[in-house]
Amino acid sequence: MSARSARKRQYGISLTAVLTAALLTAVTACSSTKTSGRSGDEVQLVASGKLTVCTHLPYEPFQFKQGKKIVGFDVDLVDLVAEDLGVEQKIVDTPFEGIQSGEDLNASKCDLAAAGMTITPVREKNLDFSAPYFEATQALLTGKGGKYDSLEDLKGRKLGVQQSTTGEEYAKEHADGVTVRHYEDLALLLSAVKTGQVDAGINDNGVLYDYAKKNPDTEVTTEFDTGEQYGIGVRTGNDALREQIDRTLEKAKADKRYDKLYKKWFGTEPKK
């Protein structure tokens, strides 16, 4: 064999190896793991043996870090879903915009989104929701004795909101004459209220009452009847996983495990 022929043959072998490796990588990237829920329905998961969950930290008491561990009401509920699927929960902290837009789910970054997320018509266009699992409404947090009991009281003052939330939308519609400051996450918003960067902050009542209980120099002065409900999100059309979540939630409410978790994180059982 000539040197030229040997080089051609070596080139051909190398090219074949590269193409084979590329094909294997593509197949691996596009594959998903299948598991079965308690009903026997087949559920596709993005990682073997894991129920991968997108959330946005911190959102205490729904999901937040306690030492090195992520805990919370949402975390405990999703653990029940993972148990029924025979897998473990894996949590991915990611910006909330990617969650509510459905981008993270569509990109197979996670199987579901549990982020204290209100079901809204806009979000329902981007992802599918489980049955509601938590009743919420908007509330106002101020420094102790701030005497701001309504958005009208804040005219000429500063109001903090968390970006891409229903609280931000409520402020847009109702906070006339108020300077609105936007914060990327809940922790920054709460810090702004506590340190006086803003006169008040608006967010979901569950997280604000939890914060005020632990920070007595702040208080929740009022609630706004927005009638919100939280849902767990899945990729549009992922009916098998959504239906499994609904079955798990229904069973947990029937056998009172839901009530126990609610009391664990909120100090009282849910209103009937």
Side-chain angles (χ1 to χ4, degrees):
M1 181 184 296
S2 67
R4 182 177 181 182
S5 297
R7 285 196 298 270
K8 283 185 176 181
R9 186 170 182 271
Q10 185 178 11
Y11 173 77
I13 292 172
S14 299
L15 180 59
T16 300
V18 170
L19 291 174
T20 299
L23 179 60
L24 287 173
T25 300
V27 169
T28 302
C30 294
S31 65
S32 57
T33 301
K34 298 179 180 179
T35 187
S36 293
R38 290 292 172 87
S39 69
D41 292 343
E42 194 173 75
V43 176
Q44 292 189 333
L45 302 178
V46 300
S48 178
K50 304 290 183 182
L51 181 61
T52 308
V53 180
C54 279
T55 194
H56 182 53
L57 302 173
Y59 206 67
E60 191 172 353
F62 293 91
Q63 55 275 324
F64 62 101
K65 280 190 175 181
Q66 195 171 73
K68 294 183 178 180
K69 188 176 181 182
I70 299 174
V71 299
F73 182 62
D74 282 3
V75 178
D76 284 352
L77 283 183
V78 175
D79 270 341
L80 300 182
V81 179
E83 181 183 342
D84 281 349
L85 288 171
V87 297
E88 295 182 356
Q89 180 178 182
K90 175 186 176 183
I91 298 175
V92 177
D93 183 20
T94 186
F96 190 68
E97 179 55 37
I99 294 175
Q100 71 158 2
S101 67
E103 291 177 6
D104 289 339
L105 292 164
N106 292 336
S108 295
K109 190 172 185 177
C110 47
D111 299 300
L112 62 82
M117 182 164 50
T118 299
I119 302 169
T120 69
V122 172
R123 290 171 182 166
E124 285 183 310
K125 293 178 181 178
N126 301 325
L127 60 158
D128 289 343
F129 282 98
S130 69
Y133 70 90
F134 187 84
E135 306 289 332
T137 192
Q138 293 303 303
L140 199 67
L141 181 77
T142 71
K144 196 75 171 180
K147 298 182 179 179
Y148 301 114
D149 299 325
S150 68
L151 293 182
E152 288 75 17
D153 292 340
L154 287 167
K155 285 186 177 180
R157 302 289 183 174
K158 298 171 185 175
L159 174 68
V161 302
Q162 183 182 351
Q163 294 173 5
S164 302
T165 63
T166 49
E168 180 184 44
E169 291 302 316
Y170 191 85
K172 284 180 182 177
E173 295 180 15
H174 299 95
D176 296 328
V178 178
T179 299
V180 177
R181 289 192 172 177
H182 303 260
Y183 295 91
E184 184 178 356
D185 59 41
L186 179 66
L188 293 173
L189 168 60
L190 297 175
S191 176
V193 175
K194 187 177 177 68
T195 59
Q197 298 174 50
V198 294
D199 298 286
I202 187 171
N203 209 289
D204 294 1
N205 57 345
V207 294
L208 295 190
Y209 279 115
D210 182 79
Y211 184 78
K213 182 171 62 177
K214 298 172 183 176
N215 294 269
D217 54 342
T218 66
E219 62 181 330
V220 177
T221 58
T222 191
E223 293 186 7
F224 309 101
D225 187 14
T226 54
E228 298 176 43
Q229 295 179 312
Y230 289 174
I232 296 173
V234 301
R235 175 179 49 78
T236 299
N238 192 355
D239 295 336
L241 180 54
R242 177 182 56 78
E243 290 168 2
Q244 177 61 58
I245 295 168
D246 286 348
R247 283 190 294 271
T248 298
L249 290 175
E250 183 178 8
K251 185 173 60 175
K253 288 181 179 180
D255 63 20
K256 304 299 182 181
R257 285 179 298 162
Y258 177 91
D259 291 0
K260 289 179 181 178
L261 292 178
Y262 195 104
K263 188 172 183 178
K264 171 185 175 181
W265 292 108
F266 301 101
T268 182
E269 291 191 355
K271 296 178 181 178
K272 304 297 184 182

